[in-house]
Amino acid sequence: MVRMEVKLAFPQDRPPLSIISAAKIAGVSVIIDPTLASGSVPTLHFSSGDFIHGVNTILRYIARAASVSSFYGQDDIQAAQVDQWLEYAPLILSGSEFEAACSFLDGYLATRTFLVGYGLSIADIVVWSNLTGTGQRWESLRRSKKYQSLVRWFNSVAADYGDALDEVTSAYVGKRGIGKSPAPSLKEKVLGLKENTSGHEIDLPGAKVGEVCVRFAPEPSGYLHIGHAKAALLNKYFAERYKGRLIVRFDDTNPSKESNEFVENVLKDIETLGVKYDVVTYTSDYFPKLMEMAESLIKQGKAYIDDTPKEQMRSERMDGVESKCRNSTVEENLSLWKDMVNGTTRGTQCCVRGKLDMQDPNKSLRDPVYYRCNPDPHHRVGSKYKVYPTYDFACPFVDALEGVTHALRSSEYHDRNAQYYRILQDMGLRRVEIYEFSRLNMVYTVLSKRKLLWFVQNKMVEDWTDARFPTVQGIVRRGLKIEALIQFILEQGASKNLNLMEWDKLWTINKKIVDPICGRHTAVLKEKRVLLTLSNGPEEPFVRILPRHKKYEGAGKKATTFANRIWLEYADASVISVGEEVTLMDWGNAIIGEIKTDNGTITQLVGELHLEGSVKMTKLKLTWLSDIEDLVSLSLVDFDYLINKKKLEEDEDFLDNLNPCTRREA
């Protein structure tokens, strides 16, 4: 029994069922503190002042401190097997592969009483908790008797440790799954990034003031778009909140797509967003060290050279089939590595792959590619290198070397988190905490830089700054104030919930910002405009200086000309009746005495001013322009979406959903 007082802090909307259950069974007494903000990682605080954070880290502590002898396995091999289940259970028992995972577990448990060895381990608690945490989804399968071995194991664990497990599940699991309990304490609103009315903020796990280092790592293969802006601003927020460092690092590992133009404009966009950084670095700064690491992993047998054709390799990874090259000798691999580095014909047929686990349910761990050949010159280092690291290989390496403490990544990379940590482990580098946030998706919008580049290259838009583009420069050109963009993004916070956002919400925020200060001008459509002659109007035009905005003096003044002949919109003229009293904005009332038409089309109105009339009594309030020589002609452009479908599914081609109004630029 562990007697040191410990406190488990976690978000109320995501209680760590596996930790709470494991602590109950292990005899580890913990004080429950569900006060962390949504998105935060569970943290275990000790009375000594020390703490540890992260679900798996806490579970390993509980397993070692447990009164149950088999909780962390009976030997080193079993301990390693327990670690595997800790990493993979949350991945395989969530999302679209849930039933496939259940089928795998059913087969695995056909001849086993426990997941590891011959006694209950933390692995059993993790898998049991993840199944329970899905609520009705698992209960439906459980009742169907479809997976009899899995259900037998599940019921056995529940029977042997029913008192502890029942207490946990009744408190934290509802019909819809973990965190969906009808208990009021579990229905609090997800907190935003900024302080809300309760004064709470989003926390970085284990973050200490003055010791946090985050990085914003764009690839210089396009301009920043609204999705990148979210990542940049979240990194800025955490760096400022914890008085830490913010690194801007260009992930320049693909010379075929990158250029100095993109580097320059990304830096321009970062400045526009008001993001203050400490230093700008490039992954290419670390190419020599990355190559040394790749060679070191080859020598250790943790990586190998593969010449399997690309499509065949993809198929083998999906099916869990090992490459014929997987068991090549170190000498054979080093020889081919030399060919790759030198860019020989033989070398260009090869790639470097990590030797991880081809049977892992998480396909990102099935021997990912670390290095590829590319003959294209690099925008910074020219033709010095013939091989380039993949993002999956370079990112964890450079994060660790640059002192990054927390790597912010969008939740679309969730399945790759285990890969990130495994690669760091194989490299022998320190752990960098991953902190996830939801990707920003907008209706009728593509955010893939590859797709945006297609619009540019095919001249369907002017360039990357086109006002129809979701790039920072595009939406600013369209009239968006950066303050509105920042507010829009910060209102979403660091939530992991995937949302499809409406552009209208962003423009509504923008309107509130520009409304008090923007210039206002009156315009009438030139085509089909209608002349209103005021019989008692001024004989000579005169000018009055009026406020541009009736509520905000800061909007300034405007000069308005008053005359006895004024232009109205045809749409307004078409709803006026003879004898009706209308209000002319900024002037007063007028009574329409005659409506002239030609073949059903209104051509002219005749009326007289009735300035003593009450504007409260009229139905129509009309904008107008005096018929004078110095009216300014202008063109108004109405921007539509580039695609005509609100949300594109992953398997849909955006080219099949182009807006017919999207035209090729001359």
Side-chain angles (χ1 to χ4, degrees), residues 221-423:
S221 57
Y223 290 30
L224 291 192
H225 57 56
I226 191 170
H228 300 126
K230 178 176 181 178
L233 291 169
L234 286 174
N235 276 284
K236 172 181 181 286
Y237 168 82
F238 285 121
E240 291 178 349
R241 180 181 171 191
Y242 289 101
K243 296 179 172 57
R245 298 177 69 241
L246 170 56
I247 298 170
V248 170
R249 182 203 310 146
F250 286 99
D251 178 43
D252 55 344
T253 58
N254 188 347
S256 302
K257 296 182 178 180
E258 299 157 359
S259 72
N260 285 321
E261 175 200 352
F262 294 140
V263 171
E264 293 167 1
N265 279 280
V266 166
L267 289 174
K268 177 181 177 181
D269 294 338
I270 290 172
E271 182 179 357
T272 299
L273 292 170
V275 175
K276 305 297 182 183
Y277 49 83
D278 292 275
V279 64
V280 175
T281 65
Y282 299 81
T283 299
S284 55
D285 294 336
Y286 302 91
F287 278 174
K289 292 182 178 179
L290 282 159
M291 292 178 68
E292 290 175 6
M293 177 56 73
E295 187 166 323
S296 173
L297 293 178
I298 292 172
K299 290 178 179 178
Q300 296 176 58
K302 295 179 180 179
Y304 62 96
I305 309 298
D306 195 354
D307 62 358
T308 303
K310 188 175 181 179
E311 291 303 320
Q312 180 182 340
M313 184 186 300
R314 180 181 290 112
S315 176
E316 288 178 351
R317 288 191 71 196
M318 292 297 295
D319 297 336
V321 177
E322 292 186 1
S323 165
K324 65 183 187 304
C325 304
R326 198 173 197 269
N327 296 312
S328 298
T329 65
V330 171
E331 291 73 20
E332 290 172 331
N333 285 324
L334 287 175
S335 176
L336 288 173
W337 169 244
K338 184 176 180 181
D339 284 334
M340 288 182 64
V341 171
N342 293 328
T344 67
T345 301
R346 176 65 177 134
T348 58
Q349 299 169 350
C350 303
C351 67
V352 180
R353 294 178 67 182
K355 187 181 288 188
L356 304 187
D357 186 353
M358 286 298 293
Q359 304 306 314
D360 200 293
N362 182 347
K363 294 182 175 62
S364 75
L365 287 162
R366 295 183 181 179
D367 293 8
V369 174
Y370 286 173
Y371 257 92
R372 289 192 178 95
C373 287
N374 191 332
D376 293 340
H378 190 277
H379 67 96
R380 291 188 73 229
V381 297
S383 299
K384 181 177 180 179
Y385 300 100
K386 306 299 180 186
V387 291
Y388 293 91
T390 60
Y391 173 85
D392 291 335
F393 183 73
C395 185
F397 179 86
V398 181
D399 280 348
L401 258 63
E402 288 191 332
V404 173
T405 59
H406 297 80
L408 273 64
R409 289 162 51 132
S410 62
S411 53
E412 63 185 301
Y413 291 103
H414 179 77
D415 288 349
R416 293 179 179 268
N417 291 352
Q419 180 199 80
Y420 180 97
Y421 289 130
R422 172 63 186 275
I423 291 175

Side-chain angles (χ1 to χ4, degrees), residues 1 4 29 50 64 104 140 150 201 254 332 357 372 405 467 490 493-494 547 553 570 640 643-644 655 659 666:
M1 178 79 69
M4 180 184 294
S29 178
D50 295 323
R64 292 187 179 98
F104 168 78
S140 297
L150 177 58
E201 293 182 308
N254 188 347
E332 290 172 331
D357 186 353
R372 289 192 178 95
T405 59
L490 295 187
E553 291 185 5
Y570 187 88
D640 202 352
I643 60 174
N644 58 14
L655 295 177
N659 189 332

Side-chain angles (χ1 to χ4, degrees), residues 191-194 202 230 234 437-438 489-495:
L191 300 175
L193 185 63
K194 299 188 294 183
I202 294 290
K230 178 176 181 178
L234 286 174
F437 60 90
S438 64
I489 288 174
L490 295 187
E491 281 183 359
Q492 299 168 53
S495 169

